[in-house]
Amino acid sequence: MGDRKQARDEEFQHFVVGRWPRLMRTAFLLTGEQHAAEDLVQTTLEQVFVAWRRVGSADDPEAYVRRVMINAHSRRHRRRLKEFLAPKDDTGLTRELPDSGDRIAQADDRGALLKALAELPPRQREAVVLRYWEDLSETRAAEAMGCSVGSVKSNAAKGIAKLRAIPGLADLVTNGGRN
């Protein structure tokens, strides 16, 4: 019994180490703050660890964890906690290192895009982050958000439309994201 528990713990640890950067990036894009993102990831991983036997044997453990993260973020938002995408004083923050193939990360004015993203309503922000930053299909984004594919399409389209309406971001959204 002790060997199985140790093997599960090692499997969980391997999962966390391998997925940490992506989990942090998603959490940061959802919360807008480094510390809030760290808290969200920690809360998510606490919940996942308790159920790791079931999660680890799932077809797609990463999708399960992403769904737990979206639910935890939604619960926080329902409590009406105020979120900021960029803190007033960002000195001392560790900057996210973009993936080499991340076209949005290659944009000249990433700060403007993050600020604009913060202005989106939470469900639109979730849809845009999952579809365009995480590059999930509409079906997988719907599973993560706990809604229909149509809701994902609608929220993503509205979010992208709002981003395109911001002067200076239209080219970035049109050329940097999917059309």
Side-chain angles (χ1 to χ4, degrees):
M1 176 109 174
D3 290 338
R4 280 189 284 174
K5 183 183 179 323
Q6 183 177 357
R8 254 194 332 266
D9 289 351
E10 288 174 6
E11 182 185 357
F12 177 75
Q13 182 178 6
H14 180 73
F15 176 85
V16 170
V17 169
R19 305 305 192 297
W20 183 262
R22 188 175 190 122
L23 291 171
M24 280 299 299
R25 180 181 69 185
T26 302
F28 178 78
L29 292 169
L30 290 173
T31 65
E33 229 177 16
Q34 184 75 24
H35 297 295
E38 290 168 357
D39 288 346
L40 179 58
V41 171
Q42 183 173 346
T43 299
T44 300
L45 292 176
E46 286 172 357
Q47 292 174 3
V48 168
F49 179 75
V50 172
W52 185 250
R53 186 176 351 156
R54 183 176 64 242
V55 176
S57 64
D59 290 338
D60 189 356
E62 191 169 350
Y64 188 104
V65 172
R66 191 174 20 256
R67 176 67 188 265
V68 171
M69 183 183 293
I70 295 292
N71 288 344
H73 177 260
S74 294
R75 278 192 302 276
R76 285 183 179 178
H77 180 72
R78 279 193 292 267
R79 290 187 205 134
R80 302 209 180 266
L81 292 178
K82 194 166 186 172
E83 297 176 356
F84 297 98
L85 194 55
K88 291 180 182 175
D89 179 20
D90 63 357
T91 59
L93 284 181
T94 305
R95 296 291 175 207
E96 169 194 0
L97 297 175
D99 293 342
S100 60
D102 187 354
R103 288 184 281 170
I104 295 176
Q106 298 166 359
D108 291 335
D109 196 355
R110 186 177 173 102
L113 182 59
L114 291 173
K115 183 178 178 192
L117 189 61
E119 300 296 322
L120 295 178
R123 293 300 276 183
Q124 289 177 16
R125 184 183 331 158
E126 289 173 2
V128 169
V129 166
L130 293 174
R131 288 284 293 131
Y132 299 101
W133 246 288
E134 292 300 319
D135 200 29
L136 296 182
S137 68
E138 291 164 343
T139 303
R140 293 195 64 192
E143 290 170 2
M145 293 173 64
C147 63
S148 68
V149 171
S151 292
V152 170
K153 287 180 179 181
S154 174
N155 280 304
K158 288 176 185 175
I160 291 295
K162 285 182 182 180
L163 293 175
R164 284 183 176 144
I166 297 172
L169 284 183
D171 292 334
L172 189 138
V173 173
T174 302
N175 298 326
R178 268 185 259 162
N179 290 328

